[in-house]
Amino acid sequence: MKKLVTRTLSAVSALSALLAVTTGGGQAARAAAPAASRPAAAVPRTGAQLAASWTGPLSTRGRYIVDADGNRFKLQSGNWEGAQGTWLGSGDPDVPADNENNEPSYNLPLGLDRVPMAQIMAGFHSLGINSIRLPFSDALIRNTTPVPDAAVAANPQLRGETPLQVYDAAVTALTADGFAVILNNHTTTARWCCGLDGNERWNSGQSTDQWLADWVFMVSRYQANKRVVGADLRNEVRRDVTDDPNWGWGDSHDENAAFETAGNRILQADPDMLVIMEGINWQGIPLAGLPHGRPMLTPVQNLSNTLISSDKLVYSAHFYAYTGPANSGAGSGLGATGDPRYEDFTPAQLAQVVSQEALFVTQAGQHFTAPVWVSEFGAAGRGETDAKEQAWFDSFTDLLVANDTDFAIWPLIGWTRNGAPLDSWALLSYDATGNRLSVEDPGDWRAADWNKLVGAPGLTGPVARTARWNMLDLDHSDYDVSAQMLARTDWDPGARKGDCPDTERLAGLGRSDSRGLCTDAGQPAKGGAQYLAVTDERYVTEGDWASGYNKLQCPDDYFAVGYSVRGNAMSSLLCAPAAGKLPTTGRDVWFDHGDSRPGSGGSTASDWAPGYYKGQCADDEYLAGVAYTWRWADAGVPDALLCRPLG
């Protein structure tokens, strides 16, 4: 979400304010912080120094992102916007007044008409950042019209190129200078986001299949460049005129399912990419008495995502002072409500709500544990004196520092006219001849908070590997996240199937809801034989451990890695061979009358099958069998697990 453009609302824009989250922003002026109170400016690194400081590709360990050597790589990022489009939807896209902040981007990263690429890179280095979120629109991919010469006046080598080729050049320049680049699918059309603008969901104005194909195209295009590190799947998913996005309903507006599919398609095309998922930015109609709000990552508590590579998932969230957990950001009129804004909270209240909406994801040892990247935040700077927003920005950057949180400020680049920025939110602004005005120059109150943020201490160096827990969700369809099984034919035709990532095993099942839990805690090495789907009791060889119940049991020296259901009834158990011998003694874990989960260990503090009983083996056990019955109207749902020690 970006700042508000103040203009008279027509009937159409009034409807937009009522039915969609608006792009509100602070309007008052801010005072400059005294220079003596500011932390020292970040010490810029050269491109060579930044490039030498990390090695791609990136992956995750618990709540941290790490580089190829296992060292912490904190995303200290900025948004180089423009390629997603700045046109406001009416008038001429090339006329300044018809673009956000009177800055036509020509659907290119902003500033290429004013500043040579090398000078832009130097400006980014001066801010102390190491990574760039680089928005694009789906329309950019198919736009074959050469960019106007005026759009690249300061970079004549780009004349005659298409917008995608100019985007390529930006990626090349950034990565050559050591920056990590995160591709961000910001919009469908080349129109400014984020109200009722045709860009509300991944499949607004296009099919989901087209969106998936565009992502495969983009990651394949940069696959050889290991400093292109991530795919930020979609910006600020929100309500359109008639319908909300949802998280887990299994329909065409199910963001959880769409992002799951996209992430796995991307990893099949380029296994090195981070997959970055925002939550739902807005649901409902912002009108008193009607349900509305910004769920963001809260649904992840009970329905998280599992990818075929479980060390590639990053969640993200956006925070701006003028919005709130149930405030759309509209300043007045239709769409404005009395709900508190983030700037209305005390620092303690702000910390609590940011944790509830996003940072809870970094809690260790849960099915949802992942890094959280605050991929947009910001405030109006030079010439602005809104005390509430200034206090919020100070508190919010304190919060990012205290939690050692990955971040990306919005935006990096804007224009100046007559010495004043057209977009006071930009950290770097350039006039028509390329002269730079920086957040570090006198007169910008944000400098103290920015330098506090980029200069903050945090975890550095090697990050220890930690065990992972991941969900399987068979609520509506198959949940195949085993690359091995995806390469094979259907292992239980007609049933809904779930299988763990190839690095994990099945650890638990929910009763009557078809949910499952995977882990790699103490994971035994796998043997060379193929996975085996068990559909009967032929491998129940060490005695009847659930008398009178149907049982599915893996052969000796195999462990469960998946399962299938018909309705919610057990259909088969998927078993993987161990490389060595496994103990065959064990214990029954019954959960037909209540939860039976370890008192401590992985994902015990989180509910991965809400409203249903759950059975879960201990972290040092493997799941060897499942018992169920058709008696007593149990309908074949799992009632007990056979859990055996790993050693």
Side-chain angles (χ1 to χ4, degrees):
M1 181 180 301
K2 274 61 70 177
K3 51 204 171 297
L4 175 67
V5 180
T6 305
R7 44 176 46 89
T8 301
L9 289 176
S10 65
V12 173
S13 58
L15 179 64
S16 297
L18 174 64
L19 292 178
V21 59
T22 61
T23 55
Q27 299 300 308
R30 293 177 178 45
S37 69
R38 299 179 182 180
V43 177
R45 285 181 287 191
T46 66
Q49 289 169 331
L50 180 58
S53 70
W54 69 284
T55 305
L58 303 182
S59 57
T60 70
R61 293 183 180 177
R63 60 147 292 184
Y64 297 108
I65 297 170
V66 298
D67 74 358
D69 297 321
N71 294 315
R72 168 80 184 287
F73 187 85
K74 182 177 181 178
L75 292 176
Q76 297 196 160
S77 322
N79 284 268
W80 187 9
E81 61 108 352
Q84 84 286 351
T86 55
W87 180 54
L88 293 171
S90 63
D92 188 337
D94 295 342
V95 172
D98 296 325
N99 287 265
E100 178 70 2
N101 300 309
N102 295 291
E103 297 172 342
S105 71
Y106 307 98
N107 308 324
L108 310 177
L110 269 171
L112 297 175
D113 58 331
R114 298 179 167 224
V115 192
M117 194 79 80
Q119 190 174 333
I120 291 174
M121 298 302 108
F124 292 165
H125 285 299
S126 75
L127 297 173
I129 59 178
N130 61 16
S131 43
I132 302 293
R133 184 177 185 244
L134 195 63
F136 70 90
S137 70
D138 293 277
L140 175 143
I141 295 172
R142 285 172 285 282
N143 185 351
T144 59
T145 303
V147 301
D149 286 354
V152 290
N155 291 273
Q157 75 277 12
L158 300 177
R159 289 177 180 168
E161 302 280 59
T162 67
L164 180 57
Q165 289 170 328
V166 175
Y167 190 92
D168 291 340
V171 170
T172 297
L174 287 165
T175 55
D177 247 33
F179 293 102
V181 172
I182 295 94
L183 312 175
N184 164 237
N185 179 229
H186 209 80
T187 52
T188 304
T189 65
R191 180 177 171 183
W192 181 255
C193 170
C194 297
L196 288 180
D197 47 41
N199 299 305
E200 295 86 359
R201 294 186 311 277
W202 61 95
N203 54 4
S204 295
Q206 63 184 353
S207 68
T208 296
D209 286 344
Q210 181 63 65
W211 175 69
L212 294 170
D214 287 349
W215 260 123
V216 171
F217 171 84
M218 289 296 280
V219 298
S220 299
R221 188 174 186 86
Y222 304 114
Q223 184 174 7
N225 188 340
K226 297 310 172 188
R227 294 195 190 277
V228 178
V229 298
D232 184 354
L233 297 182
R234 186 71 179 189
N235 185 72
E236 296 190 5
V237 174
R238 58 199 181 276
R239 182 185 176 89
D240 61 16
V241 175
T242 61
D243 205 357
D244 286 325
N246 67 77
W247 194 268
W249 290 12
D251 62 9
S252 64
H253 292 180
D254 184 347
E255 182 182 339
N256 172 270
F259 280 19
E260 187 83 34
T261 299
N264 286 323
R265 294 275 183 90
I266 286 166
L267 289 172
Q268 286 171 314
D270 183 357
D272 289 331
M273 295 294 282
L274 293 176
V275 174
I276 301 168
M277 302 184 184
E278 288 184 41
I280 297 173
N281 191 67
W282 187 262
Q283 287 178 321
I285 299 174
L287 191 65
L290 295 177
H292 57 269
R294 179 171 292 107
M296 293 214 279
L297 297 177
T298 52
V300 173
Q301 295 179 60
N302 301 128
L303 182 57
S304 57
N305 296 86
T306 302
L307 299 172
I308 57 175
S309 298
S310 60
D311 63 347
K312 292 296 182 179
L313 175 62
V314 175
Y315 286 110
S316 66
H318 295 177
F319 290 96
Y320 290 101
Y322 56 84
T323 62
N327 194 308
S328 71
S332 61
L334 295 174
T337 67
D339 301 297
R341 304 172 189 271
Y342 293 115
E343 67 183 11
D344 296 327
F345 294 124
T346 67
Q349 290 169 332
L350 181 64
Q352 182 179 20
V353 74
V354 170
S355 176
Q356 290 171 343
E357 292 189 316
L359 295 187
F360 75 89
V361 172
T362 62
Q363 180 184 353
Q366 309 307 314
H367 66 84
F368 50 69
T369 302
V372 170
W373 182 38
V374 177
S375 56
E376 281 190 29
F377 76 102
R382 189 179 307 276
E384 300 287 346
T385 56
D386 184 336
K388 288 185 72 172
E389 188 170 28
Q390 183 171 350
W392 171 84
F393 192 76
D394 183 59
S395 295
F396 189 72
T397 51
D398 281 345
L399 191 58
L400 296 177
V401 169
N403 288 279
D404 197 9
T405 301
D406 300 66
F407 62 85
I409 198 164
W410 181 280
L412 287 174
I413 289 183
W415 294 4
T416 60
R417 182 183 296 156
N418 300 323
L422 296 182
D423 180 1
S424 63
W425 291 54
L427 267 61
L428 303 169
S429 297
Y430 297 91
D431 68 14
T433 60
N435 293 310
R436 186 178 83 193
L437 184 65
S438 170
V439 67
E440 301 288 2
D441 294 328
D444 196 317
W445 65 267
R446 299 170 300 172
D449 290 317
W450 176 252
N451 289 314
K452 168 188 67 182
L453 184 59
V454 295
L459 181 70
T460 60
V463 177
R465 296 185 184 275
T466 58
R468 299 177 183 275
W469 285 266
N470 290 104
M471 280 185 58
L472 298 179
D473 167 25
L474 276 64
D475 291 359
H476 305 291
S477 60
D478 288 355
Y479 206 92
D480 288 314
V481 287
S482 161
Q484 180 177 150
M485 297 310 294
L486 284 169
R488 289 175 54 180
T489 57
D490 190 339
W491 52 275
D492 193 352
R496 301 196 312 280
K497 294 162 288 294
D499 40 55
C500 298
D502 289 333
T503 56
E504 299 182 15
R505 68 185 184 280
L506 191 63
L509 288 174
R511 190 172 189 269
S512 305
D513 74 334
S514 305
R515 296 281 181 92
L517 182 69
C518 303
T519 188
D520 63 0
Q523 177 76 356
K526 291 180 179 176
Q530 283 195 335
Y531 290 0
L532 174 68
V534 175
T535 59
D536 55 36
E537 297 190 5
R538 73 184 68 184
Y539 300 111
V540 181
T541 55
E542 280 85 23
D544 189 350
W545 54 273
S547 179
Y549 283 73
N550 300 80
K551 290 170 284 293
L552 299 173
Q553 184 173 327
C554 295
D556 290 351
D557 303 323
Y558 278 68
F559 53 92
V561 292
Y563 59 103
S564 64
V565 295
R566 297 176 189 271
N568 286 319
M570 291 299 301
S571 177
S572 66
L573 191 62
L574 186 66
C575 304
K581 300 293 290 183
L582 292 175
T584 56
T585 58
R587 65 186 180 101
D588 302 348
V589 174
W590 289 90
F591 56 105
D592 53 336
H593 290 89
D595 280 1
S596 183
R597 305 171 70 191
S600 61
S603 210
T604 56
S606 53
D607 195 345
W608 43 271
Y612 295 92
Y613 299 148
K614 292 164 286 293
Q616 182 177 336
C617 297
D619 296 352
D620 59 355
E621 295 177 323
Y622 70 96
L623 195 159
V626 179
Y628 58 98
T629 183
W630 295 92
R631 299 178 295 168
W632 311 305
D634 274 10
V637 301
D639 288 316
L641 307 178
L642 175 60
C643 298
R644 290 174 166 174
L646 285 166

